[in-house]
Amino acid sequence: MLKEAEAGAKTADLARRHGVSEATIYNWKSKYGGMEVSDARRLKELESENAKLKRLLADAMLDKAALKDLLAKKF
């Protein structure tokens, strides 16, 4: 779809044809414009991995805080 937009197709026509809003197409253009499909896939994989690592870090920080509270109450 982005290749069509880069080729000069009107955004409104593309949005109607693919069932997305024009704003979505503009967001995709800003994020993925100029990328090849493999680059976009790799970006999505990295974003997914980054989100997973952030969740793991948040869980570890919560565990650490809970352990600190537990140790502070015992002594």
Side-chain angles (χ1 to χ4, degrees), residues 24-39:
T24 300
I25 293 177
Y26 286 119
N27 286 336
W28 288 346
K29 272 189 202 178
S30 69
K31 189 171 186 177
Y32 302 112
M35 286 187 183
E36 294 296 322
V37 174
S38 61
D39 295 336

Side-chain angles (χ1 to χ4, degrees), residues 1-65:
M1 178 179 3
L2 292 178
K3 295 284 185 190
E4 293 175 42
E6 289 175 1
K10 291 189 177 189
T11 305
D13 294 337
L14 286 174
R16 201 173 315 109
R17 192 173 338 133
H18 293 286
V20 296
S21 70
E22 288 183 52
T24 300
I25 293 177
Y26 286 119
N27 286 336
W28 288 346
K29 272 189 202 178
S30 69
K31 189 171 186 177
Y32 302 112
M35 286 187 183
E36 294 296 322
V37 174
S38 61
D39 295 336
R41 282 191 185 127
R42 181 68 180 143
L43 178 62
K44 293 287 270 183
E45 289 173 5
L46 289 173
E47 288 174 342
S48 174
E49 182 180 356
N50 193 25
K52 180 181 175 184
L53 291 173
K54 283 182 179 181
R55 281 192 302 274
L56 288 172
L57 177 62
D59 289 343
M61 291 175 75
L62 284 173
D63 290 344
K64 180 181 171 185

